[in-house]
Structures are given as C-alpha cells and as structure tokens.
Amino acid sequence: MPQPPAPRKTPGRPPRISREEVVGTARRIVDSEGVARLTMRRLAAEIGSTPMALYHHVRNKEELLVLLLDDYAARTLHRPGLPAEPRERVVVCAAAIHEALAACPWIVEVLTADDLLSTSALWFVEQIVDGLVACGLPPERAVHGYRAIWYYTAGEIVVRTTAGRRRADDGRPTYREQVFDGLDGDELPRLAQVAGRWQELTAEDTYLDGLRALVDGLLRPR
C-alpha cells in the first residue's frame, strides 16, 4: 500500500524554543567565550532560531543578563547558616558571595557595571547591611560599609582572575617579574627584600584575612 505523504514543514519557520533553552544556551556561550561574545544574533544562531523569536522570551541583552544572574544565583549561591554575632554574619555572607563569584568570574564583569543585579542575591546584601547596623552603624554608613566590602570582593576576584589568565596565556616571565628581578636594593630596600617571593606571596589566598580587617575598620568608632 502506498505510504501516506509526510507532513509538510512550513519553510522558514524556526522551531519553538523555551526560556530554559535560551538561558542554557546563553550560559554556555558566556562560560566558554565571555560576556562580550553574547549577542541576540549569536544566541539565535546557536539555538537555530531567529532574533525575533528570542524577543518573545527576552526583550534585550540586558534582560538576558539578568536572567543569567538569577539562574546562576539559584544554582550556586546557597544561604549559609548565620552566626549569632553580627560581625561574623557580615563576614560569613561576604565570604559566601566571594566563593560563588570566584567560580564564575564573568558574573563579576556584569555586576561591576553596578546597574544589574540578581534579586535572589539581595538576601546576602540584607544580612551584611543588617549585621553592620547591629554592630552600631547607622543605616547610611552600613550601606557605605557594604559598598566597601563589595568593591573589595569584586576587585579581588577580577585582579586574581586576570592575572591568572595572563600567566596561562604566556609561559614567559611577566613584565612585573622582570622588573622585580632587577630592583635597586638601595632605592627600594623593602621590595628588594621580598622580590624573589613576590609572586608566591601575592598569589596566596588572603581574602578572609583582608575581609576581617576591612570589617574591623568599618566598625571602628570615628
């Protein structure tokens, strides 16, 4: 018997896509190539759709980045147990933010624009600000304190990640290493004293020590 004809496909019509597919594909692009390579056109091509079809799920790249932030926060930013002592609550929550972001530095690149955020991460900001207020700071100074902690946290990740990438890209000594190898001990005696260990010392993970010192400084009476 003759077989019934196969259903005809409408030419040019892109396949149906879901928001989960959009976010997952965007995450794969930024994980492998960085935020700069993420565009609506590139994302549509990866999915096998069209930019117009994407706009049914996200209005623009900014909304897409917010979805990525929320997706990452939901998967990796886990609320820690909170100590009773408010100073320690500040330290624990800041350290949790640092741990999550250090594993995905492109997130820091997005957040340092200072106009995008993940609403699910606001719980951590609340705990830090509340902890600083409980330690005696007025709300305004607690916000300034949070900002200082965030700048320290984001800056530490950006510097460490960028330095690691430069070392990985080129096996030759860095310019800094060449300079430190030739320091004048009469002009810069302290630096010359530790020049041979500078890379080793600056590569140590001292984030928590610095964070505790920063919090202590923020809480010191003026």
Side-chain angles (χ1 to χ4, degrees), residues 12-136:
R13 177 173 294 177
R16 288 184 177 275
I17 56 177
S18 65
R19 174 168 287 201
E20 291 75 17
E21 185 179 8
V22 170
V23 173
T25 305
R27 184 172 66 242
R28 178 170 54 79
I29 293 172
V30 297
D31 281 344
S32 60
E33 301 181 43
V35 177
R37 299 300 299 273
L38 177 63
T39 65
M40 300 296 279
R41 186 176 298 277
R42 167 72 185 282
L43 180 58
E46 291 283 335
I47 294 175
S49 185
T50 66
M52 287 302 298
L54 290 181
Y55 294 133
H56 292 293
H57 300 281
V58 289
R59 291 190 299 262
N60 48 41
K61 182 176 178 179
E62 182 173 284
E63 183 177 339
L64 178 59
L65 290 174
V66 171
L67 288 176
L68 284 174
L69 291 175
D70 282 333
D71 170 73
Y72 186 77
R75 289 185 297 109
T76 65
L77 197 53
H78 306 298
R79 297 182 179 185
L82 295 179
E85 206 279 310
R87 176 187 173 280
E88 282 304 304
R89 291 206 301 269
V90 173
V91 171
V92 165
C93 287
I97 292 174
H98 179 269
E99 181 180 2
L101 296 185
C104 193
W106 70 261
I107 294 285
V108 179
E109 180 183 344
V110 174
L111 293 176
T112 49
D114 213 26
D115 61 343
L116 299 180
L117 54 84
S118 167
T119 54
S120 57
L122 288 178
W123 180 87
F124 293 82
V125 181
E126 167 72 17
Q127 303 310 315
I128 292 173
V129 173
D130 180 69
L132 294 173
V133 170
C135 287

